[in-house]
């Protein structure tokens, strides 16, 4: 337990939820009359809904106070156009920006400038960079996180949830101001500027439409490794795809429709072909309860489709990928790459320690694996710098890494 006092109430009264065009107009006017950056957070309904949209948007600006906006009540995209216009040119303060930017983009909100307190904490190599620990570190109070996994699509939102939501932006600017001082004192302020600019560029490329079903993700089924036959994988694929389509259409989390455990159990009935009866599969506990029971015909259709697939077209037991294999397999199958990895990884870890930054922030593991797997032909500092730039490394990372990787390889 923390020794710090619990922050239980925002400084001002909890504002009413903005759910009408007129209320939004007044909110935008208040934000325009404020000053400084705008702290922003969102609440989603992961685990309850299929589409990762924002169900509440929280904003706070000095001189303006805190505002809680219901984007669903205002309609999609154009309903929040006045807010987008109001925020244009301001700096946003986000914590873990990559989590909030996609749902904000779906509402037509993209930053022109931002400050990510979590990423700044990583650059400073803080031991814990969650919002709660960072508020404790910099503000000496404790934030309770009891509603972080709640169903924010629920209406009306309970008052204690609104208090929680308001508190998530209450101290973001306070944290930002103290982090800025630490970044300056450690000489990492330019690093942060480049990282934040990179996030802004990422936000500009985010889709404005909700995601559809991605059929390539079926191998993310939990415990898929327990399926021992290609026929079982075919059945799992078809049941998974049927479930995803239902979940998408209903905007319900897939696990609320049919659990992965039921799909795996069904697949385990298969041996060399998908010859298991629909009746047997539907007798599995997960298929005749709750939402799953309502979609009985959907599962029957999926089973019948799997039965009609030629065994020659069943998925392979192991996923074939053109991606670079994990380095743990290199020593046995790719000794040359393994030898490079054995030298490169400790070198990067050491320089990260020297600069007091996490290795994965200094050098993305994907970049390092790519470099060890297939280095550029030109291993001079300039050649390595070009390689890193092509990977997306920012200038501060290239300045540290280019000469290091060149020296290790030459």
């Amino acid at each position: 337990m923390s020794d710090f006092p619990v922050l239980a109430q925002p400084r001002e009264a909890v504002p009413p939820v903005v759910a009408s065009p007129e209320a939004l107009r007044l909110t935008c006017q208040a934000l325009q009359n404020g000053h400084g950056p705008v702290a922003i957070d969102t609440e989603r309904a992961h685990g309850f809904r299929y589409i990762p949209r924002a169900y509440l948007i929280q904003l706070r600006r000095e001189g303006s106070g805190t505002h809680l906006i219901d984007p669903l009540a205002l309609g999609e995209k154009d309903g929040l156009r006045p807010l987008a216009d109001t925020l244009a040119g301001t700096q946003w303060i986000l914590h873990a920006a990559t989590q909030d930017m996609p749902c904000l983009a779906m509402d037509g909100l993209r930053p022109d400038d931002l400050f990510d307190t979590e990423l700044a904490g990583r650059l400073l190599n803080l031991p814990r960079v969650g919002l709660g620990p960072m508020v404790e570190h910099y503000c000496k109070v404790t934030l309770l996180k009891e509603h972080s996994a709640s169903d924010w699509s629920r209406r009306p939102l309970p008052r204690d949830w609104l208090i929680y939501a308001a508190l998530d932006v209450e101290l973001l600017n306070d944290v930002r101001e103290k982090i800025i001082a630490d970044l300056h004192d450690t000489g990492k302020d330019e690093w942060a500027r480049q990282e934040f600019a990179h996030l802004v560029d990422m936000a500009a490329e985010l889709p404005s439409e909700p995601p559809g079903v991605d059929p390539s993700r079926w191998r993310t089924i939990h415990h898929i490794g327990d399926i021992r036959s290609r026929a079982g994988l075919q059945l799992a694929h078809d049941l998974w795809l049927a479930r995803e389509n239902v979940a998408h259409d209903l905007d319900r989390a897939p696990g609320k429709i049919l659990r992965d455990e039921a799909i795996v159990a069904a697949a385990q009935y298969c041996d060399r072909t998908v010859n298991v009866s629909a009746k047997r599969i539907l007798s599995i506990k997960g298929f005749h309860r709750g939402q799953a029971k309502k979609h009985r015909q959907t599962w029957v259709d999926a089973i019948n489709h799997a039965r009609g697939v030629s065994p020659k077209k069943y998925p392979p037991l192991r996923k074939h990928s053109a991606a670079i294999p994990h380095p743990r397999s290199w020593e046995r199958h790719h000794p040359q790459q393994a030898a490079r990895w054995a030298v490169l990884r400790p070198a990067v870890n050491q320089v990260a320690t020297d600069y007091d930054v996490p290795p994965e922030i200094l050098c993305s593991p994907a970049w390092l694996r790519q470099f060890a797997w297939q280095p550029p032909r030109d291993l001079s500092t300039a050649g390595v710098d070009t390689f890193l730039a092509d990977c997306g490394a920012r200038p501060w990372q290239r300045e540290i890494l280019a000469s290091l990787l060149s020296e290790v390889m030459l």
Side-chain angles (χ1 to χ4, degrees):
M1 292 291 293
S2 170
D3 294 330
F4 299 118
V6 174
L7 185 64
Q9 292 287 336
R11 296 169 208 174
E12 304 96 8
V14 177
V17 176
V18 175
S20 70
E22 175 60 18
L24 181 63
R25 184 187 69 80
L26 294 174
T27 288
C28 291
Q29 186 177 68
L31 288 168
Q32 288 170 348
N33 291 335
H35 56 88
V38 181
I40 301 180
D41 189 31
T42 67
E43 303 297 345
R44 300 175 295 280
H46 177 73
F48 296 92
R49 297 290 178 175
Y50 190 91
I51 298 172
R53 59 166 52 96
Y55 287 95
L56 191 71
I57 300 174
Q58 306 100 280
L59 306 100
R60 181 176 179 82
R61 192 178 198 186
E62 292 301 315
S64 165
T66 297
H67 308 272
L68 306 178
I69 297 176
D70 182 350
L72 267 66
L74 292 163
E76 298 181 1
K77 296 181 189 173
D78 288 343
L80 290 179
R81 178 64 61 83
L83 180 61
D85 294 341
T86 298
L87 295 176
T90 65
Q91 183 182 73
W92 297 10
I93 314 171
L94 297 165
H95 188 83
T98 55
Q99 296 182 22
D100 294 302
M101 291 192 309
C103 63
L104 290 168
M106 280 191 275
D107 284 315
L109 303 173
R110 292 181 172 83
D112 294 323
D113 183 19
L114 69 78
F115 189 103
D116 186 336
T117 49
E118 188 218 35
L119 181 51
R122 293 187 184 279
L123 288 169
L124 291 169
N125 207 14
L126 297 181
R128 297 189 300 160
V129 293
L131 179 58
M134 290 188 69
V135 166
E136 288 186 2
H137 177 77
Y138 284 109
C139 302
K140 310 307 179 189
V141 294
T142 296
L143 278 181
L144 296 180
K145 304 300 289 180
E146 66 269 31
H147 299 304
S148 59
S150 297
D151 180 7
W152 287 88
S153 66
R154 172 181 170 181
R155 293 296 184 272
L157 291 169
R159 177 174 171 77
D160 58 327
W161 292 21
L162 297 178
I163 293 172
Y164 163 88
L167 291 176
D168 269 357
V169 292
E170 179 79 7
L171 297 174
L172 270 181
N173 192 42
D174 300 62
V175 172
R176 167 188 167 273
E177 289 181 353
K178 294 178 181 181
I179 289 179
I180 286 175
D182 281 355
L183 289 169
H184 178 74
D185 290 345
T186 56
K188 296 177 179 178
D189 41 0
E190 175 58 21
W191 296 6
R193 188 197 66 77
Q194 293 178 24
E195 290 298 321
F196 300 157
H198 176 66
L199 289 175
V200 170
D201 291 341
M202 288 176 56
E205 300 298 324
L206 289 170
S208 56
E209 298 297 325
V213 174
D214 179 0
S216 69
R217 294 183 60 254
W218 72 275
R219 284 189 183 263
T220 61
I221 296 170
H222 194 51
H223 290 308
I224 194 172
D226 293 342
I227 301 173
R228 304 298 185 183
S229 70
R230 294 179 61 206
L233 287 176
Q234 180 63 51
L235 180 58
H237 167 273
D238 286 7
L239 287 171
W240 178 91
L241 187 58
R243 181 190 69 177
E244 291 294 302
N245 285 323
V246 170
H248 177 271
D249 292 345
L250 297 178
D251 192 16
R252 295 287 300 274
K256 298 290 185 182
I257 306 295
L258 180 67
R259 294 178 66 85
D260 282 2
E261 291 89 336
I263 294 176
V264 171
Q268 288 175 326
Y269 278 129
C270 298
D271 185 12
R272 307 180 92 176
T273 61
V274 183
N275 56 7
V276 62
S277 71
K279 182 177 180 180
R280 187 176 186 184
I281 289 177
L282 294 178
S283 70
I284 295 171
K285 181 171 63 175
F287 284 88
H288 56 80
R289 288 185 174 181
Q291 283 288 322
K293 188 176 182 179
K294 297 180 181 180
H295 301 283
R296 177 186 177 91
Q297 189 57 49
T298 299
W299 317 134
V300 171
D301 292 344
I303 294 163
N304 289 336
H305 181 273
R307 279 206 199 107
V309 175
S310 167
K312 294 181 180 180
K313 295 184 178 180
Y314 289 165
L317 284 175
R318 293 188 177 182
K319 180 181 178 182
H320 296 318
S321 173
I324 298 170
H326 195 280
R328 62 173 169 260
S329 68
W330 292 3
E331 187 172 356
R332 181 176 180 182
H333 302 290
H334 308 284
Q336 188 176 16
Q337 285 87 344
R340 287 196 287 262
W341 181 256
V343 175
L344 288 166
R345 189 182 183 192
V348 169
N349 288 347
Q350 181 57 55
V351 77
T353 298
D354 295 342
Y355 280 91
D356 192 26
V357 65
E360 67 276 11
I361 295 295
L362 173 62
C363 182
S364 162
W367 307 342
L368 194 58
R369 284 196 296 269
Q370 177 65 52
F371 189 85
W373 183 256
Q374 188 174 12
R377 291 184 178 181
D378 181 2
L379 289 172
S380 68
T381 298
V384 175
D385 182 75
T386 298
F387 169 90
L388 291 169
D390 290 343
C391 288
R394 271 67 76 194
W396 75 269
Q397 295 163 318
R398 290 156 46 197
E399 183 178 353
I400 295 171
L401 290 170
S403 59
L404 169 71
L405 298 182
S406 176
E407 290 171 10
V408 169
M409 294 295 292
L410 292 176

